[in-house]
Amino acid sequence: MMTLESFEKAAEKVKEVTLPTNLIYSDYFSQMSGNKVYLKPENLQNTGAYKVRGAYYKASTLTKEELAHGLITASAGNHAQGVANAAKLFGTKAVIVMPTTTPLIKVNRTRSYGAEVVLHGSVYDESYQKALEIAEERNMTFVHPFNDLAVATGQGSIAMEIFKELPTVDIILVPIGGGGLAAGVSTLAKMLNPNIKVIGVEPANAACMKASLKAGKVVSLPSAVTIADGTAVKTPGDVVFPYIQKNLDDIITVEDEELIVNFLDVVENHKMVVENSGLLSVAALKHLNCKDKRVVSILSGGNMDIITMSSVVQHGLIERGRVFTVSVQLPDRPGELVNVANVIAQLKGNVIRLEHNQFVSINRNAAVELKITLEAFGHEHKEQIVSALRDKGYDPKLENPTSLY
């Protein structure tokens, strides 16, 4: 069982491996949501995520014999680093099974702790089955990423820290994958203040916990396809599920597109990199039906590889209307390009790229195609530029940029 005594013990134990992640008050998200929003930046942990808490506390509860067998787990990356780090600190070996889709940064960082990494399956559930096979073959101690009460207790130490800093907190938003973090945080939160609301947040395309709560039992989704790879879980934990049923007040689901624009918001307003799963609690702010409440969003991790980051930034800029491509057709004669450039310059548009296609028509005097990728201040500014080009007779057509480079 998860008890207040075990939570207190875990909160002290994890201090041996965690960095202080003091709450950050967010003016931007407070104004946007109409609430008083605080961020709990677990993305700033040494391993880049909160998972170090549960893994280390779990390892501390194992016997010498269990530790000597070595630790094994399955993980999309953050729990992997937590277990690998715990194994290193406790002087034992670690094997981590990760989905083949795991970002390279998570794979490399896991290996940097001395762990053996096995890539298997496209989602966590497939990696999990492989890890169980290896655990039996090699007689290793399996450390479940979420379906373990000791692990969940370690994760719940986050709630202890939140209450110490902000005793008057009204709502805690917590990302959900398999349910370990949500179970630990919600259980301790209700022990400390039964009136607090703890709301879970899941990707819309991987909402296994919401489906399970609706069914009144653990159910499996046919798929879990989302850019929030750390929460791409098809089946939640049956061990932690009763704690979720009892202590979680609600679940909000968010679309992947919402995570993309919130990545930009956090980078630009708080100068932090937060991975897509960690952004779930930020994206949920717009879905809250309340005002003037003290809300804490748990940023669960920040392990995002550069390629994914580049893609998210590009799509985020497009979604916000800050980058767009417009095509116009114009006669192939001197001065036409300058005329178009002048229209854009007068409205302070910034040209990123030009593509001049002279072969769009057999009659070049009739029309050549000019594609312009522009930087704007947002959708309103974008529409001003498009309207100005239209007023000059260019019949502009909006297209999605294929690349910013």
Side-chain angles (χ1 to χ4, degrees), residues 66-300:
E66 288 172 321
L67 285 171
H69 289 310
L71 307 181
I72 184 170
T73 194
S75 169
N78 291 334
H79 180 65
Q81 292 179 67
V83 171
N85 184 48
K88 182 179 180 180
L89 293 172
F90 281 93
T92 190
K93 59 182 178 293
V95 175
I96 314 295
V97 184
M98 309 176 81
T100 56
T101 54
T102 302
L104 182 61
I105 186 174
K106 294 183 179 181
V107 174
N108 288 341
R109 286 186 176 174
T110 302
R111 286 176 174 150
S112 73
Y113 291 105
E116 175 189 345
V117 174
V118 176
L119 297 176
H120 179 85
S122 58
V123 294
Y124 162 77
D125 303 77
E126 295 169 1
S127 302
Y128 171 66
Q129 292 301 323
K130 183 65 175 179
L132 291 180
E133 292 175 15
I134 297 174
E136 186 174 353
E137 291 170 3
R138 304 189 192 181
N139 192 28
M140 301 185 75
T141 301
F142 188 82
V143 181
H144 203 288
F146 53 82
N147 202 29
D148 182 291
L149 295 186
V151 171
T153 300
Q155 321 299 28
S157 61
I158 290 175
M160 188 76 77
E161 295 173 8
I162 291 173
F163 272 90
K164 285 183 177 179
E165 273 199 88
L166 189 66
T168 55
V169 58
D170 298 303
I171 299 171
I172 298 177
L173 295 171
V174 53
I176 294 182
L181 175 62
V185 168
S186 63
T187 299
L188 178 55
K190 293 295 186 179
M191 288 178 180
L192 298 176
N193 179 4
N195 296 319
I196 192 175
K197 289 189 178 298
V198 183
I199 300 174
V201 194
E202 289 185 296
N205 291 331
C208 63
M209 189 64 76
K210 185 169 185 176
S212 297
L213 289 174
K214 183 177 180 180
K217 62 180 180 179
V218 171
V219 298
S220 297
L221 300 178
S223 63
V225 182
T226 171
I227 63 172
D229 58 282
T231 47
V233 177
K234 294 193 291 185
T235 308
D238 59 338
V239 173
V240 298
F241 184 68
Y243 292 88
I244 296 285
Q245 283 182 304
K246 180 181 178 181
N247 299 306
L248 202 67
D249 293 282
D250 196 7
I251 288 184
I252 292 170
T253 60
V254 299
E255 301 292 338
D256 282 0
E257 290 76 13
E258 297 177 75
L259 302 177
I260 290 172
V261 294
N262 278 285
F263 178 83
L264 290 183
D265 290 336
V266 174
V267 168
E268 291 187 324
N269 292 282
H270 291 285
K271 308 301 181 282
M272 291 192 298
V273 172
V274 180
E275 63 186 273
N276 293 318
S277 294
L279 291 167
L280 287 166
S281 60
V282 175
L285 290 167
K286 285 188 175 181
H287 297 270
L288 291 178
N289 188 26
C290 61
K291 298 295 179 184
D292 297 319
K293 299 295 184 181
R294 296 176 183 85
V295 182
V296 173
S297 291
I298 298 175
L299 309 182
S300 57

Side-chain angles (χ1 to χ4, degrees), residues 32-57:
M32 179 270 289
S33 67
N35 290 295
K36 298 173 183 177
V37 176
Y38 298 80
L39 307 177
K40 178 65 170 169
E42 288 295 292
N43 57 306
L44 301 181
Q45 292 294 351
N46 280 327
T47 58
Y50 74 96
K51 290 282 193 177
V52 64
R53 297 171 179 270
Y56 187 76
Y57 180 65

Side-chain angles (χ1 to χ4, degrees), residues 260 264 268 307 309-326 350-355 372-376 399-405:
I260 290 172
L264 290 183
E268 291 187 324
I307 293 175
M309 196 183 305
S310 175
S311 177
V312 169
V313 168
Q314 177 168 318
H315 283 86
L317 291 172
I318 294 168
E319 286 287 329
R320 284 283 164 86
R322 290 170 55 183
V323 171
F324 68 99
T325 294
V326 62
N350 184 38
V351 175
I352 297 174
R353 190 169 67 177
L354 289 172
E355 294 181 44
I372 314 159
T373 300
L374 296 162
E375 183 180 10
E399 301 181 8
N400 283 329
T402 55
S403 175
L404 303 188
Y405 310 104

